[in-house]
Amino acid sequence: MPVVVGAALGVSHSPAQASEPRFSCGQSQNTPTTLAKTKQGFVAVIRWTSEHFADSGWTPEARCQKVSGLFEQYYRDGSLNYLTTKWDSKTRQNIVCVAPAPKKGCTGVLFTLKPGSNPGRTLQRLMDLRVRASNDPLNETNRRVYIKMDEFLNSRPTIDATPTASSNNRKPSQPQPVENLAPSQPKPDDIW
């Protein structure tokens, strides 16, 4: 049985705001951060601190730019309902992807996880979600985790952040096959 995490997106899909990006790469606490612009302000989605993929060209800044563009694209096409993970048998790696609902398959890839990591736990850590109480929907089992994006964003505190000009003034990037986001030389100390 899947674990559903999170709480609503706080961003509207109104035509008047369609050209304004909702997801962008910016800086928060001097760290490249995927940001979501909500009605309340900016929310940190993922802080990109790992250098794990840097040898293959995917620095924290490069991953932030790429994945923030994918968040924006999936938001605009209406497929950014849930985040989850899956094993990609083609690349033989775990990935973070978007899904329409719990127990449904992935409809778009966001990024590849570090080989050997626990995908559910890593996704929770990336999204800065922690077990806080016994009634918290998060747990430390190996069951598949689903994070409902609108509820996640509405439950997060706003932050002081600065979107980068390049991510605000460009079209969202097209999704790439997962092999384009895979590391070439993993480092053992990093999370993802």
Side-chain angles (χ1 to χ4, degrees):
M1 178 178 207
V3 176
V4 179
V5 178
L9 197 57
V11 290
S12 66
H13 288 278
S14 69
Q17 298 173 344
S19 64
E20 185 179 337
R22 293 294 179 224
F23 292 89
S24 60
C25 178
Q27 290 286 315
S28 172
Q29 301 173 355
N30 296 316
T31 303
T33 303
T34 295
L35 303 169
K37 186 176 181 183
T38 68
K39 294 175 185 176
Q40 295 77 30
F42 286 105
V43 171
V45 179
I46 298 174
R47 286 189 173 88
W48 299 94
T49 59
S50 174
E51 294 285 340
H52 179 76
F53 300 115
D55 289 346
S56 60
W58 291 105
T59 63
E61 179 66 30
R63 293 190 86 190
C64 181
Q65 290 289 338
K66 179 65 175 180
V67 176
S68 298
L70 292 171
F71 269 102
E72 178 70 10
Q73 177 183 333
Y74 297 139
Y75 166 73
R76 287 180 184 262
D77 73 16
S79 62
L80 185 61
N81 298 318
Y82 289 85
L83 294 189
T84 191
T85 59
K86 81 169 194 169
W87 173 256
D88 183 8
S89 58
K90 184 177 177 183
T91 63
R92 301 180 44 84
Q93 294 187 3
N94 285 305
I95 59 171
V96 172
C97 53
V98 295
K103 298 184 184 179
K104 298 292 182 182
C106 293
T107 57
V109 175
L110 284 167
F111 55 93
T112 303
L113 295 174
K114 174 186 168 188
S117 63
N118 177 310
R121 193 172 301 142
T122 301
L123 180 58
Q124 292 172 27
R125 288 178 65 195
L126 284 170
M127 305 296 287
D128 196 27
L129 296 170
R130 294 180 178 87
V131 176
R132 290 176 296 276
S134 61
N135 62 350
D136 196 320
L138 290 174
N139 63 53
E140 295 296 321
T141 70
N142 287 328
R143 292 187 285 175
R144 193 167 180 182
V145 172
Y146 285 84
I147 298 173
K148 188 171 183 182
M149 282 303 294
D150 61 349
E151 292 178 1
F152 167 81
L153 292 174
N154 282 335
S155 69
R156 307 304 293 174
T158 59
I159 60 167
D160 289 328
T162 307
T164 58
S166 62
S167 65
N168 283 334
N169 296 326
R170 64 186 174 97
K171 286 184 155 186
S173 53
Q174 293 299 311
Q176 297 295 313
V178 70
E179 49 272 274
N180 290 346
L181 298 176
S184 61
Q185 298 178 3
K187 295 179 186 174
D189 298 342
D190 296 318
I191 297 170
W192 69 93

